[in-house]
Amino acid sequence: MVISVLLLGPALAGCILGTERPDLNLDMPAAYREAGRGAPDTHVPALDWWRGFRSNELATLMDAAQIYNLDVAVAIAQIVQADAQVGVAGAPLLPSAIGTSAADRIRNVSSNFGGGNGFSTTFSQYNLGLTASYMIDFWGKNRATLYAAEENATAARYNREVVTLTAIVTVANTYFQILAAQDQLRVARRNLAAAQRILLLIKQQFAGGTASQLDLSQQEALVSTERAAIPPLEITLKQNIAALAVLVGRAPANFMVNGGTMTQIAVPRVTPGMPSELLNQRPDIRQAEALLASSNFSVEAARAAFFPQIQLTAQTGVQSAALASLFGPGAWFYTLSAGLTQPLFDGFLLESQLKQAKGVQLQNLQAYRKAVLSAFADVEKALVALSQSTLQERLQTEAVANSRKAFEVSETQLRAGTVNLITVLQTQQTLLTAENTLAQVRLTKLLAASSLFQALGGGWTPTGDLSSLQPQDGATPARPTN
């Protein structure tokens, strides 16, 4: 009978869940302004979108970051904690049982108030029992608390996807910075070599009396300037290699990058699709959604705390003064009790807790709205940066070609003595500036491409591999939110 009462307890629990669903009130555009006209394309990012850059070294670094990045490891540890919290929150929904055993030796002394001697008695008492209790969740307080914990566990999984995406995009950007530094170093050394050739020619002309000391000093200053531009580029290169080592969980002293040139990197084709698809593609939006759902259930739990709580308690066992007769007839006993508690005055504790829960709910609602709008803005900014930097790269490539041709012609004419040194210096400086600008434009284009992949969710999608998003160790999966 005791077990029957406790098993009927969960059936008596009421359910008032799902009442706290605030209006999301999202400003949803029909299409991206920078996506161009025409039907939406289906080239959304692939799960391994970084392989589209066609760099084996970058792909290897990306794979290593997903395995060894310490920020990702921290996010995985947070999932373990969130899953454990689900178990903690779900415990009140099940009956609790405690086994007890005791062996007592008792001596009682009685006084004789008539002046005679008192007497004492000594006896033993043995007890073996089981105490079980259950709180009927009639108003859904405990179940709402469990659902809130489950949503937090879901948010922890989305957070791992956010951290992973951030880590691999940072790896890509850092790798592109390394390539840009290597390209700029090649430009600087090539320009230094050209400046030294011109300096040697001017020295010959100065010795022959056809060049002035001013011409010689100007070119020497240019050579020194070109030489001084190399150390800052070396700093950028080596510091980015050290940063990349940390991203893949390696000590910088034991880490090397071959690199290469940005011209070897292809930009994968990708289109944004419809803005409404972004709500499912971005893990940070899904994380904000899960946190909002968790706060909704927390408000329901705080409101249910105002209502009466019903506690069922049962105790059974055997008790005897002799160990031999502990399991004999008449030793068995049991008690059943039901209690109801209703908060009357608690110093406004429950009211304050409800206000706090509503405040967290409002905070998470605004955070969700901001996450959605920020995601739309991220896509728009990445699209315009990618399209304009692509156009700028084409134009700047033409400028570099023309500048190089002008410098080569001026150098030839200088050797022939048909052009003055000022013209040569101007064309040389123009070429230097144009080549450095081209390197920066190519870097901007690659960074814009990686930013677009990040803005679109980096290929992560809940319709893909869901194994990483399921609660661990038998935890109850969270319900989809409205």
Side-chain angles (χ1 to χ4, degrees):
M1 181 173 61
V2 176
I3 303 300
S4 300
V5 172
L6 292 175
L7 291 178
L8 285 175
L12 300 176
C15 184
I16 59 171
L17 303 179
T19 58
E20 294 291 338
R21 300 290 181 187
D23 186 10
L24 299 180
N25 192 23
L26 298 176
D27 184 10
M28 189 76 64
Y32 296 107
R33 177 180 298 177
E34 298 295 333
R37 297 183 179 181
D41 206 321
T42 58
H43 287 79
V44 296
L47 291 177
D48 54 349
W49 52 269
W50 54 88
R51 301 189 187 279
F53 289 105
R54 299 179 184 176
S55 171
N56 293 332
E57 186 173 41
L58 176 60
T60 301
L61 291 170
M62 290 290 206
D63 294 338
Q66 296 180 76
I67 299 174
Y68 302 111
N69 183 269
L70 297 180
D71 290 331
V72 176
V74 170
I76 293 175
Q78 291 172 342
I79 294 178
V80 176
Q81 299 175 50
D83 286 342
Q85 189 59 40
V86 171
V88 172
L93 290 172
L94 300 174
S96 63
I98 301 175
T100 59
S101 62
D104 301 320
R105 183 69 173 172
I106 304 172
R107 181 175 183 270
N108 289 332
V109 179
S110 300
S111 300
N112 190 340
F113 294 99
N117 295 328
F119 65 92
S120 64
T121 59
T122 302
F123 62 94
S124 299
Q125 182 171 304
Y126 302 93
N127 185 297
L128 186 64
L130 175 67
T131 301
S133 62
Y134 179 74
M135 177 73 72
I136 298 179
D137 194 30
F138 191 80
W139 310 107
K141 175 180 177 292
N142 294 335
R143 189 162 296 276
T145 302
L146 171 62
Y147 288 168
E150 289 177 346
E151 294 292 351
N152 285 331
T154 302
R157 283 166 170 74
Y158 291 135
N159 177 67
R160 185 190 66 176
E161 300 299 331
V162 173
V163 172
T164 302
L165 178 57
T166 301
I168 61 178
V169 169
T170 305
V171 167
N173 291 343
T174 306
Y175 186 72
F176 296 151
Q177 295 276 6
I178 292 173
L179 297 183
Q182 291 177 329
D183 282 347
Q184 289 174 320
L185 276 170
R186 279 187 286 268
V187 170
R189 287 168 180 152
R190 186 167 60 247
N191 287 327
L192 175 60
Q196 288 174 334
R197 287 198 313 270
I198 299 299
L199 177 60
L200 180 60
L201 180 59
I202 294 176
K203 285 182 177 179
Q204 293 173 352
Q205 293 178 347
F206 179 75
T210 58
S212 66
Q213 180 64 46
L214 177 61
D215 295 335
L216 179 61
S217 299
Q218 286 179 329
Q219 189 61 26
E220 287 177 341
L222 182 58
V223 169
S224 299
T225 301
E226 294 293 335
R227 188 176 289 112
I230 293 178
L233 296 176
E234 292 283 2
I235 292 174
T236 300
L237 174 62
K238 294 178 181 179
Q239 287 183 343
N240 277 290
I241 292 176
L244 187 57
V246 175
L247 289 171
V248 297
R250 297 282 302 278
N254 301 327
F255 181 76
M256 289 296 296
V257 174
N258 294 325
T261 175
M262 289 185 289
T263 57
Q264 297 176 348
I265 302 295
V267 176
R269 181 169 178 262
V270 61
T271 50
M274 301 299 294
S276 58
E277 298 172 351
L278 204 62
L279 302 185
N280 287 328
Q281 291 174 198
R282 295 255 307 211
D284 58 333
I285 294 180
R286 299 304 300 271
Q287 179 188 8
E289 182 183 12
L291 291 175
L292 175 59
S294 175
S295 61
N296 294 341
F297 287 119
S298 295
V299 171
E300 294 176 1
R303 179 175 285 111
F306 284 87
F307 297 99
Q309 305 295 317
I310 302 175
Q311 177 82 29
L312 301 179
T313 304
Q315 185 177 11
T316 184
V318 290
Q319 179 176 308
S320 174
L323 186 61
S325 60
L326 183 61
F327 298 99
W332 178 67
F333 72 94
Y334 74 89
T335 60
L336 294 175
S337 63
L340 183 146
T341 58
Q342 169 63 54
L344 298 178
F345 180 75
D346 57 3
F348 304 102
L349 174 62
L350 295 179
E351 182 179 356
S352 298
Q353 290 175 338
L354 178 59
K355 289 180 179 179
Q356 182 186 30
K358 287 185 175 181
V360 174
Q361 180 190 46
L362 180 59
Q363 173 185 327
N364 289 337
L365 174 61
Q366 304 303 342
Y368 176 74
R369 290 171 177 168
K370 181 180 179 181
V372 173
L373 294 180
S374 298
F376 294 152
D378 290 342
V379 175
E380 295 282 6
K381 290 188 292 185
L383 285 172
V384 67
L386 182 58
S387 63
Q388 294 302 315
S389 59
T390 301
L391 174 61
Q392 186 181 7
E393 180 188 26
R394 179 173 61 82
L395 298 176
Q396 191 62 34
T397 301
E398 296 177 0
V400 169
N402 293 331
S403 299
R404 181 175 292 111
K405 182 178 180 181
F407 174 68
E408 291 172 352
V409 170
S410 66
E411 184 178 3
T412 302
Q413 291 179 348
L414 178 64
R415 293 181 183 276
T418 59
V419 69
N420 58 35
L421 183 59
I422 296 178
T423 302
V424 177
L425 294 177
Q426 289 176 342
T427 56
Q428 184 180 5
Q429 191 64 41
T430 300
L431 176 60
L432 171 63
T433 303
E435 288 184 325
N436 283 331
T437 302
L438 179 59
Q440 289 294 333
V441 170
R442 285 173 175 166
L443 175 60
T444 301
K445 178 183 176 181
L446 293 177
L447 295 180
S450 63
S451 296
L452 180 58
F453 282 111
Q454 184 177 22
L456 293 175
W460 176 88
T461 170
T463 60
D465 182 11
L466 285 177
S467 61
S468 62
L469 300 180
Q470 297 301 322
Q472 300 174 349
D473 301 329
T476 305
R479 296 138 319 289
T481 56
N482 294 333

